[in-house]
Each structure stands twice: as C-alpha cells, then as structure tokens.
Amino acid sequence: MSERIILITGTRKGIGEALAKYYLSKGDIVIGCSRSEIEWSKNGAFENYRHFLTDVSDEKAAKEIFSFIRKKYGKLDALINNAGRASMNHSLLTPIDTMRDVFNTNTVGTFLFCREAVKLMRKEKNGRIVNFSTVAVPLKLDGEAVYAASKAAVVSLTQVLAKEFAEFGVTVNAVGPVPIKTDLIRGVPEDKIKRLLDRQAIRRYGTPEDVINVIDFFLKPESDFITGQVIYLGGV
C-alpha cells in the first residue's frame, strides 16, 4: 500500500477541512473526526475519506477509530491533532465548565490520540505526529488564560512524548499558528486581533496554507531526525 494513512482530528471546517482536502488531493487516505457532521464530503465526494463523529476526549470513541484503522489498513503513517477549542475571555469571566471543555479537547484529546497512535506506529517503526499549539503561548496573551494554558500543556506533551516515542521511530512536533480567519476567532474584536498581529514580525493573518507548509515539513521522510520541536508562525 503506497498511500499514506493520515488521521486528522477536527476536520469539520477551518484548518482541519483544509488539511483533509489537501492530503486527499495528494493521494493519501484520510480518516477524520469531529463532534458533528461535515458538509464537504457528503455523498462520498472523497472516496479516500472516512469520517467519525467523535469527541476527541472520549477514550472509548477514540479507541474505536484506531481499531478501525488497525483492521482496515494495518498501519498509521501520520496523526495531525488539529481539533481545538478556544476561550477568549478574561479569567474572571470564564466559567469552570468552559475551562474543562477547553482542556478536554485541546490537552486530553491530544494526549489520548498520541497515545493510541503510537501503538499502531511502533509496529512499523515509523510515524509522524503533529500537534497544535498557538502563538498565545509565547506571547502570554491576556484574555486567553485558559486557551493558552491548555496549549502550553500541549507543548510540554509534545516535548516529553518526543523523547518517549523516539525509540519507536515516531517523531512528535507541533505548529503554533497566528490568527487565521476561521470560526475560532470569529467573536474576537478586530482591534484585539490587530494588536496581536502587530506583535508579529510578519504582520498579517495566517492562512491554512501556512500551516500546511509546516506540517508537510514535519511529515517528510527526511524529517526523521526532527522531533520535540514547536514552530510558531509569523516570527513570534
């Protein structure tokens, strides 16, 4: 089987949708998941795409995805942990349920999928895992305490798992996007976004293509000596 088997979380829209379509266009087999139905692949529009309705923090549901991949393909070449939730409020205005939801998706989900993925990848002594951080971590953005904390945890996970998984031939890296025009920032005031962009060396919104470029680099066969790294976009 020459096609890569790639699992991407959070493929309903935004960056996840762009990632899924991109790798499908490259001839890869893509397994995606989200909490709700997707529109872009209805009626079998992409024959090499399989979608699961899954909360990434649900251990049982996650294991069902990996069981499907094991039985259907016998391997997994890459995992892209794109699924994410944000809370962009002052900490005094953030309910505890919101914090739990953000950490469950961003941190628990990332850990769970990394753990299950390496069980498949270690059999081939090869694999690529790419997690998602955010520039809110190095910039210590006010009003994003919960979101930044959850993604800071992802950075730590990435760096520790990179060491733990190295013996299996699996690399673990992360990308940290700047603001991209997706639903994740739709409710953020324009002046706040502008102030954030002004803190970047390259003062513009990011694009899905910017993110794909970094992920492509991490997924290359020649990148097998690169692990535990986080690339923040925009010159942060």
Side-chain angles (χ1 to χ4, degrees), residues 4-8 11 19-24 28-32 40 48-51 73:
R4 292 180 300 183
I5 311 301
I6 301 178
L7 172 58
I8 306 172
T11 52
L19 285 166
K21 289 179 176 177
Y22 173 78
Y23 287 109
L24 286 167
D28 297 313
I29 294 172
V30 176
I31 298 93
W40 58 267
N48 283 340
Y49 180 77
R50 173 64 185 267
H51 193 78
Y73 306 109

mmCIF file of all heavy atoms in Angstrom, residues 4-8 11 19-24 28-32 40 48-51 73:
data_model
loop_
_atom_site.group_PDB
_atom_site.id
_atom_site.type_symbol
_atom_site.label_atom_id
_atom_site.label_comp_id
_atom_site.label_asym_id
_atom_site.label_seq_id
_atom_site.Cartn_x
_atom_site.Cartn_y
_atom_site.Cartn_z
ATOM 1 N N ARG A 4 -0.274 7.059 2.006
ATOM 2 C CA ARG A 4 -0.116 7.265 3.445
ATOM 3 C C ARG A 4 -1.490 7.221 4.100
ATOM 4 O O ARG A 4 -2.477 7.694 3.534
ATOM 5 C CB ARG A 4 0.543 8.607 3.720
ATOM 6 C CG ARG A 4 1.982 8.695 3.292
ATOM 7 C CD ARG A 4 2.566 10.062 3.592
ATOM 8 N NE ARG A 4 1.852 11.134 2.904
ATOM 9 C CZ ARG A 4 2.199 12.422 2.957
ATOM 10 N NH1 ARG A 4 3.244 12.800 3.675
ATOM 11 N NH2 ARG A 4 1.507 13.334 2.298
ATOM 12 N N ILE A 5 -1.535 6.697 5.303
ATOM 13 C CA ILE A 5 -2.756 6.691 6.102
ATOM 14 C C ILE A 5 -2.604 7.816 7.121
ATOM 15 O O ILE A 5 -1.726 7.760 7.984
ATOM 16 C CB ILE A 5 -2.970 5.345 6.814
ATOM 17 C CG1 ILE A 5 -2.806 4.174 5.854
ATOM 18 C CG2 ILE A 5 -4.339 5.325 7.501
ATOM 19 C CD1 ILE A 5 -3.769 4.206 4.674
ATOM 20 N N ILE A 6 -3.455 8.834 7.006
ATOM 21 C CA ILE A 6 -3.319 10.025 7.845
ATOM 22 C C ILE A 6 -4.613 10.248 8.627
ATOM 23 O O ILE A 6 -5.702 10.294 8.048
ATOM 24 C CB ILE A 6 -3.002 11.269 6.990
ATOM 25 C CG1 ILE A 6 -1.702 11.060 6.212
ATOM 26 C CG2 ILE A 6 -2.909 12.521 7.857
ATOM 27 C CD1 ILE A 6 -1.331 12.215 5.294
ATOM 28 N N LEU A 7 -4.479 10.384 9.920
ATOM 29 C CA LEU A 7 -5.616 10.688 10.792
ATOM 30 C C LEU A 7 -5.544 12.158 11.191
ATOM 31 O O LEU A 7 -4.520 12.618 11.700
ATOM 32 C CB LEU A 7 -5.570 9.794 12.037
ATOM 33 C CG LEU A 7 -6.575 10.099 13.159
ATOM 34 C CD1 LEU A 7 -8.011 10.037 12.662
ATOM 35 C CD2 LEU A 7 -6.371 9.115 14.321
ATOM 36 N N ILE A 8 -6.630 12.882 10.937
ATOM 37 C CA ILE A 8 -6.698 14.313 11.247
ATOM 38 C C ILE A 8 -7.925 14.554 12.119
ATOM 39 O O ILE A 8 -9.047 14.200 11.732
ATOM 40 C CB ILE A 8 -6.796 15.167 9.975
ATOM 41 C CG1 ILE A 8 -5.654 14.840 9.004
ATOM 42 C CG2 ILE A 8 -6.800 16.661 10.322
ATOM 43 C CD1 ILE A 8 -5.810 15.507 7.635
ATOM 44 N N THR A 11 -11.974 17.849 11.571
ATOM 45 C CA THR A 11 -11.991 18.098 10.123
ATOM 46 C C THR A 11 -13.297 18.693 9.607
ATOM 47 O O THR A 11 -13.483 18.807 8.397
ATOM 48 C CB THR A 11 -11.717 16.792 9.355
ATOM 49 O OG1 THR A 11 -12.617 15.779 9.813
ATOM 50 C CG2 THR A 11 -10.285 16.334 9.545
ATOM 51 N N LEU A 19 -6.790 20.816 5.694
ATOM 52 C CA LEU A 19 -5.793 19.751 5.791
ATOM 53 C C LEU A 19 -6.302 18.465 5.136
ATOM 54 O O LEU A 19 -5.572 17.814 4.373
ATOM 55 C CB LEU A 19 -5.457 19.482 7.255
ATOM 56 C CG LEU A 19 -4.566 20.496 7.962
ATOM 57 C CD1 LEU A 19 -4.606 20.283 9.468
ATOM 58 C CD2 LEU A 19 -3.133 20.384 7.463
ATOM 59 N N ALA A 20 -7.532 18.092 5.450
ATOM 60 C CA ALA A 20 -8.090 16.863 4.886
ATOM 61 C C ALA A 20 -8.131 16.931 3.362
ATOM 62 O O ALA A 20 -7.698 15.998 2.667
ATOM 63 C CB ALA A 20 -9.485 16.622 5.452
ATOM 64 N N LYS A 21 -8.636 18.020 2.808
ATOM 65 C CA LYS A 21 -8.730 18.156 1.355
ATOM 66 C C LYS A 21 -7.347 18.159 0.707
ATOM 67 O O LYS A 21 -7.149 17.601 -0.375
ATOM 68 C CB LYS A 21 -9.488 19.432 0.998
ATOM 69 C CG LYS A 21 -10.973 19.365 1.303
ATOM 70 C CD LYS A 21 -11.667 20.670 0.940
ATOM 71 C CE LYS A 21 -13.166 20.591 1.152
ATOM 72 N NZ LYS A 21 -13.845 21.884 0.858
ATOM 73 N N TYR A 22 -6.387 18.797 1.365
ATOM 74 C CA TYR A 22 -5.033 18.870 0.816
ATOM 75 C C TYR A 22 -4.415 17.477 0.709
ATOM 76 O O TYR A 22 -3.890 17.099 -0.349
ATOM 77 C CB TYR A 22 -4.159 19.763 1.699
ATOM 78 C CG TYR A 22 -2.702 19.761 1.304
ATOM 79 C CD1 TYR A 22 -2.248 20.494 0.215
ATOM 80 C CD2 TYR A 22 -1.769 19.006 2.023
ATOM 81 C CE1 TYR A 22 -0.904 20.473 -0.161
ATOM 82 C CE2 TYR A 22 -0.430 18.987 1.659
ATOM 83 C CZ TYR A 22 -0.001 19.724 0.572
ATOM 84 O OH TYR A 22 1.321 19.693 0.205
ATOM 85 N N TYR A 23 -4.477 16.707 1.795
ATOM 86 C CA TYR A 23 -3.841 15.389 1.760
ATOM 87 C C TYR A 23 -4.612 14.398 0.893
ATOM 88 O O TYR A 23 -4.013 13.500 0.280
ATOM 89 C CB TYR A 23 -3.609 14.882 3.178
ATOM 90 C CG TYR A 23 -2.470 15.626 3.838
ATOM 91 C CD1 TYR A 23 -2.690 16.539 4.862
ATOM 92 C CD2 TYR A 23 -1.169 15.471 3.372
ATOM 93 C CE1 TYR A 23 -1.643 17.265 5.428
ATOM 94 C CE2 TYR A 23 -0.120 16.193 3.918
ATOM 95 C CZ TYR A 23 -0.359 17.092 4.940
ATOM 96 O OH TYR A 23 0.686 17.820 5.473
ATOM 97 N N LEU A 24 -5.919 14.576 0.800
ATOM 98 C CA LEU A 24 -6.679 13.770 -0.157
ATOM 99 C C LEU A 24 -6.248 14.077 -1.586
ATOM 100 O O LEU A 24 -6.126 13.175 -2.420
ATOM 101 C CB LEU A 24 -8.180 14.033 0.014
ATOM 102 C CG LEU A 24 -8.825 13.409 1.260
ATOM 103 C CD1 LEU A 24 -10.207 14.000 1.489
ATOM 104 C CD2 LEU A 24 -8.905 11.891 1.117
ATOM 105 N N ASP A 28 -3.418 10.628 -0.541
ATOM 106 C CA ASP A 28 -3.389 9.928 0.744
ATOM 107 C C ASP A 28 -4.786 9.460 1.142
ATOM 108 O O ASP A 28 -5.801 9.966 0.653
ATOM 109 C CB ASP A 28 -2.843 10.862 1.828
ATOM 110 C CG ASP A 28 -1.409 11.287 1.556
ATOM 111 O OD1 ASP A 28 -0.589 10.411 1.227
ATOM 112 O OD2 ASP A 28 -1.113 12.491 1.657
ATOM 113 N N ILE A 29 -4.835 8.519 2.037
ATOM 114 C CA ILE A 29 -6.087 8.086 2.656
ATOM 115 C C ILE A 29 -6.220 8.844 3.968
ATOM 116 O O ILE A 29 -5.312 8.825 4.795
ATOM 117 C CB ILE A 29 -6.086 6.573 2.902
ATOM 118 C CG1 ILE A 29 -6.078 5.823 1.567
ATOM 119 C CG2 ILE A 29 -7.287 6.153 3.752
ATOM 120 C CD1 ILE A 29 -5.883 4.328 1.691
ATOM 121 N N VAL A 30 -7.345 9.520 4.147
ATOM 122 C CA VAL A 30 -7.536 10.379 5.314
ATOM 123 C C VAL A 30 -8.702 9.891 6.154
ATOM 124 O O VAL A 30 -9.794 9.654 5.629
ATOM 125 C CB VAL A 30 -7.755 11.847 4.901
ATOM 126 C CG1 VAL A 30 -8.050 12.714 6.124
ATOM 127 C CG2 VAL A 30 -6.540 12.386 4.146
ATOM 128 N N ILE A 31 -8.470 9.750 7.434
ATOM 129 C CA ILE A 31 -9.532 9.483 8.403
ATOM 130 C C ILE A 31 -9.697 10.748 9.224
ATOM 131 O O ILE A 31 -8.710 11.289 9.751
ATOM 132 C CB ILE A 31 -9.179 8.291 9.319
ATOM 133 C CG1 ILE A 31 -9.010 7.015 8.502
ATOM 134 C CG2 ILE A 31 -10.257 8.092 10.378
ATOM 135 C CD1 ILE A 31 -7.608 6.730 8.068
ATOM 136 N N GLY A 32 -10.905 11.263 9.311
ATOM 137 C CA GLY A 32 -11.156 12.487 10.057
ATOM 138 C C GLY A 32 -12.215 12.277 11.116
ATOM 139 O O GLY A 32 -12.939 11.278 11.116
ATOM 140 N N TRP A 40 -18.687 18.994 3.598
ATOM 141 C CA TRP A 40 -17.857 18.981 2.397
ATOM 142 C C TRP A 40 -17.602 17.606 1.796
ATOM 143 O O TRP A 40 -17.161 17.483 0.663
ATOM 144 C CB TRP A 40 -16.517 19.675 2.682
ATOM 145 C CG TRP A 40 -15.704 19.083 3.798
ATOM 146 C CD1 TRP A 40 -15.711 19.452 5.109
ATOM 147 C CD2 TRP A 40 -14.753 18.021 3.694
ATOM 148 N NE1 TRP A 40 -14.837 18.683 5.835
ATOM 149 C CE2 TRP A 40 -14.224 17.807 4.995
ATOM 150 C CE3 TRP A 40 -14.281 17.236 2.638
ATOM 151 C CZ2 TRP A 40 -13.273 16.825 5.250
ATOM 152 C CZ3 TRP A 40 -13.322 16.262 2.901
ATOM 153 C CH2 TRP A 40 -12.837 16.077 4.197
ATOM 154 N N ASN A 48 -11.538 8.405 -0.660
ATOM 155 C CA ASN A 48 -10.477 8.003 0.269
ATOM 156 C C ASN A 48 -10.595 8.678 1.635
ATOM 157 O O ASN A 48 -9.621 8.725 2.386
ATOM 158 C CB ASN A 48 -9.100 8.301 -0.334
ATOM 159 C CG ASN A 48 -8.701 7.277 -1.379
ATOM 160 O OD1 ASN A 48 -9.232 6.174 -1.410
ATOM 161 N ND2 ASN A 48 -7.777 7.648 -2.247
ATOM 162 N N TYR A 49 -11.802 9.173 1.934
ATOM 163 C CA TYR A 49 -12.015 9.840 3.220
ATOM 164 C C TYR A 49 -13.046 9.076 4.036
ATOM 165 O O TYR A 49 -14.096 8.680 3.529
ATOM 166 C CB TYR A 49 -12.486 11.278 3.024
ATOM 167 C CG TYR A 49 -12.720 12.006 4.331
ATOM 168 C CD1 TYR A 49 -11.651 12.490 5.069
ATOM 169 C CD2 TYR A 49 -14.004 12.194 4.838
ATOM 170 C CE1 TYR A 49 -11.848 13.144 6.276
ATOM 171 C CE2 TYR A 49 -14.218 12.845 6.039
ATOM 172 C CZ TYR A 49 -13.130 13.319 6.753
ATOM 173 O OH TYR A 49 -13.336 13.959 7.949
ATOM 174 N N ARG A 50 -12.756 8.894 5.325
ATOM 175 C CA ARG A 50 -13.707 8.262 6.238
ATOM 176 C C ARG A 50 -13.863 9.161 7.456
ATOM 177 O O ARG A 50 -12.865 9.583 8.047
ATOM 178 C CB ARG A 50 -13.197 6.880 6.652
ATOM 179 C CG ARG A 50 -14.032 6.199 7.746
ATOM 180 C CD ARG A 50 -15.450 5.893 7.279
ATOM 181 N NE ARG A 50 -16.265 5.364 8.360
ATOM 182 C CZ ARG A 50 -16.423 4.067 8.613
ATOM 183 N NH1 ARG A 50 -15.812 3.164 7.853
ATOM 184 N NH2 ARG A 50 -17.195 3.665 9.607
ATOM 185 N N HIS A 51 -15.118 9.456 7.808
ATOM 186 C CA HIS A 51 -15.366 10.380 8.909
ATOM 187 C C HIS A 51 -16.011 9.677 10.095
ATOM 188 O O HIS A 51 -16.880 8.826 9.937
ATOM 189 C CB HIS A 51 -16.287 11.522 8.443
ATOM 190 C CG HIS A 51 -16.347 12.655 9.413
ATOM 191 N ND1 HIS A 51 -15.350 13.589 9.525
ATOM 192 C CD2 HIS A 51 -17.287 12.998 10.341
ATOM 193 C CE1 HIS A 51 -15.668 14.468 10.458
ATOM 194 N NE2 HIS A 51 -16.827 14.126 10.979
ATOM 195 N N TYR A 73 -6.485 -0.926 7.603
ATOM 196 C CA TYR A 73 -5.228 -0.588 6.928
ATOM 197 C C TYR A 73 -3.995 -1.224 7.559
ATOM 198 O O TYR A 73 -2.953 -1.313 6.909
ATOM 199 C CB TYR A 73 -5.040 0.930 6.891
ATOM 200 C CG TYR A 73 -6.218 1.656 6.281
ATOM 201 C CD1 TYR A 73 -7.070 2.432 7.069
ATOM 202 C CD2 TYR A 73 -6.492 1.555 4.922
ATOM 203 C CE1 TYR A 73 -8.155 3.086 6.518
ATOM 204 C CE2 TYR A 73 -7.590 2.208 4.353
ATOM 205 C CZ TYR A 73 -8.414 2.971 5.169
ATOM 206 O OH TYR A 73 -9.482 3.621 4.617
#
